[in-house]
Amino acid sequence: MTSAKTGGAPPRRPGGALRAAVAPLLGLVAAAKHAYELYHPPRPAGPARTPADKGLPTHHKTVVASYDGVPLRAWVVPGAGPHTVVVCHGMGRTKSMTLGHIALLHRAGHHVVAYDMRNHGDSGADRALGRMAERYISDLRDVLYATAADPRLRGGAIALYGFSFSTWPALQVVPRSRVPVAAVIADSGPAYDVPAGLRHFAALRGRTMRRWLRGPLTLAVQGRAFEFFAMRMLGLADWPPDLSAYDTRLMFIGSAEDTFVRPETVERTARHYPRSEYWTAAGAPHMRGVRFDAAEYEKRVLGFLAEAFEAFEASEKAAEVGDHD
C-alpha cells in the first residue's frame, strides 16, 4: 500500500490487473463464439406453435438442400389461390414467429409456404464455418423450386417475404432462380452496410457482457472481431444485388422502434432500388409491425402483393400473346 508520506494512488490489485490483461482476449473468444452462434443459434425449448393452432389447414413438407443434403422443414398452408407467398423467418427464430403473417396472407386468399432455415427450428443442422450466404441462398432457391412444382399450389405467381437476416437471401435469390419471383417483401432489413450492421449488433451484445468485460478496449476488440468472423463465415458477395434486369416488385418495411436493424439503414437499401416501395411501421420494434401498426401494415402489405401479382399476370399474358404472334 502507498503510505501517507509518499502519496499517490494505491497500486491495482493483482486480480484487477489480470482481468484487464485477459479481457481483450476473452472479447476475441466471445466474438468468435457469437459469430458461430449467429448462424447456428441454440434451438428454442418446448413445443412450437403451428398454423393448426390458429385453425389453419396445414401440410408438412421437407425440402432437401441441394447444397449439402440438410433437410428443410416447411409448412404448406393452402389458400383460395392461385398465388403463393414463401415466408422466411429471422435469425435465431423459427417459422413459428411468422404465424401472424401466415394468418394475414391466408385471409387474403394466398397460399403460404413457411420453412425453417438450416440450423433453426425443425430443420437440419450443419457445422459450416464458411459460405453461409451461399447455403442460405441455395436453400431458398430449393424451396422456391419445390413450391413451383407442388400441385397443391396450382401454379400461380410466387412472392418472397423475408424478415431481418432472411431479407438478404430473399433479394439475392431473385437473379439466381429459374422460377420468376413476382415480389419481395423485406421486413426489418436488410441493412445496406452489412459490416456496420454487424458492428452495431456486436455493440448491443456487448451490453449484456459482465461489467469487467465492458471496457472500451475490450468492446472495440469484440466488435471488430465479431464483424471479421461473421463476415468471413457469411461470405457475402454481390451486395446489394443488381436487380435492374428483373421485373420483381420490391417493398421494404422499417420498424420505427427497431434497435437491431434501424429503419434508416433499411431505407438506405430501399433507395438503392429506385422502383421499390419503403414504409416505416409506427411504434414497432424489430419485426413487430404486424402487431404494433396492424391496420396500416395489413393495408400496405396486401395492397402491395395484389398489385405485384396483377402486374405479374399481365406480364405473363403479354408474353403469351407475343409467343403466338
Side-chain angles (χ1 to χ4, degrees):
M1 295 180 60
T2 302
S3 67
K5 292 182 180 179
T6 58
R12 299 179 66 179
R13 293 180 302 162
L18 180 61
R19 286 197 297 269
V22 302
L25 178 60
L26 292 178
L28 187 67
V29 173
K33 181 175 182 289
H34 182 200
Y36 183 81
E37 290 179 345
L38 180 66
Y39 309 113
H40 307 82
R43 309 278 178 134
R49 295 180 302 144
T50 72
D53 295 329
K54 289 185 170 288
L56 300 176
T58 310
H59 305 295
H60 295 271
K61 187 181 189 71
T62 298
V63 178
V64 177
S66 61
Y67 193 95
D68 53 9
V70 168
L72 307 171
R73 312 297 185 190
W75 294 322
V76 177
V77 180
H83 306 303
T84 302
V85 182
V86 174
V87 177
C88 324
H89 59 79
M91 187 61 75
R93 307 295 184 92
T94 70
K95 58 186 182 297
S96 293
M97 66 79 59
T98 66
L99 282 176
H101 303 84
I102 293 172
L104 173 69
L105 296 167
H106 183 265
R107 288 197 303 270
H110 303 308
H111 307 304
V112 182
V113 175
Y115 76 103
D116 283 326
M117 294 191 294
R118 63 173 57 224
N119 304 318
H120 292 74
D122 297 324
S123 288
D126 64 43
R127 295 184 179 181
L129 296 176
R131 299 178 63 86
M132 296 307 299
E134 192 62 37
R135 286 174 166 83
Y136 287 117
I137 296 167
S138 179
D139 290 350
L140 179 51
R141 184 172 54 208
D142 292 335
V143 173
L144 265 173
Y145 292 170
T147 298
D150 193 326
R152 294 170 296 189
L153 304 180
R154 295 191 286 280
I158 300 176
L160 303 178
Y161 203 152
F163 297 87
S164 192
F165 176 87
S166 68
T167 59
W168 295 338
L171 289 174
Q172 288 179 296
V173 80
V174 171
R176 304 189 188 195
S177 172
R178 66 173 182 266
V179 172
V181 177
V184 174
I185 299 175
D187 186 327
S188 300
Y192 185 86
D193 185 339
V194 177
L198 290 170
R199 290 195 300 272
H200 173 69
F201 192 49
L204 294 176
R205 181 71 171 256
R207 297 175 188 174
T208 67
M209 298 171 69
R210 295 188 179 188
R211 185 179 298 275
W212 65 277
L213 286 170
R214 290 187 229 153
L217 176 59
T218 302
L219 290 179
V221 168
Q222 196 259 355
R224 286 294 181 178
F226 173 74
E227 175 198 338
F228 173 79
F229 290 128
M231 287 298 294
R232 287 295 295 268
M233 290 183 65
L234 186 60
L236 189 65
D238 302 323
W239 183 258
D242 181 3
L243 304 181
S244 58
Y246 300 87
D247 293 328
T248 302
R249 300 290 185 95
L250 304 177
M251 180 182 189
F252 295 88
I253 301 173
S255 299
E257 304 302 322
D258 195 337
T259 58
F260 291 95
V261 184
R262 290 169 293 197
E264 60 268 23
T265 68
V266 180
E267 186 175 11
R268 184 181 174 191
T269 307
R271 289 199 303 269
H272 183 78
Y273 300 103
R275 295 181 297 165
S276 69
E277 297 184 24
Y278 175 79
W279 170 66
T280 302
H286 191 54
M287 301 188 293
R288 302 289 291 278
V290 73
R291 291 186 58 186
F292 282 76
D293 198 359
E296 189 67 16
Y297 192 100
E298 178 173 350
K299 173 185 173 183
R300 287 179 177 267
V301 166
L302 296 185
F304 168 77
L305 284 173
E307 291 180 3
F309 286 140
E310 182 179 357
F312 183 88
E313 288 181 318
S315 176
E316 290 289 292
K317 289 178 180 177
E320 289 178 6
V321 171
D323 290 340
H324 290 130
D325 287 346

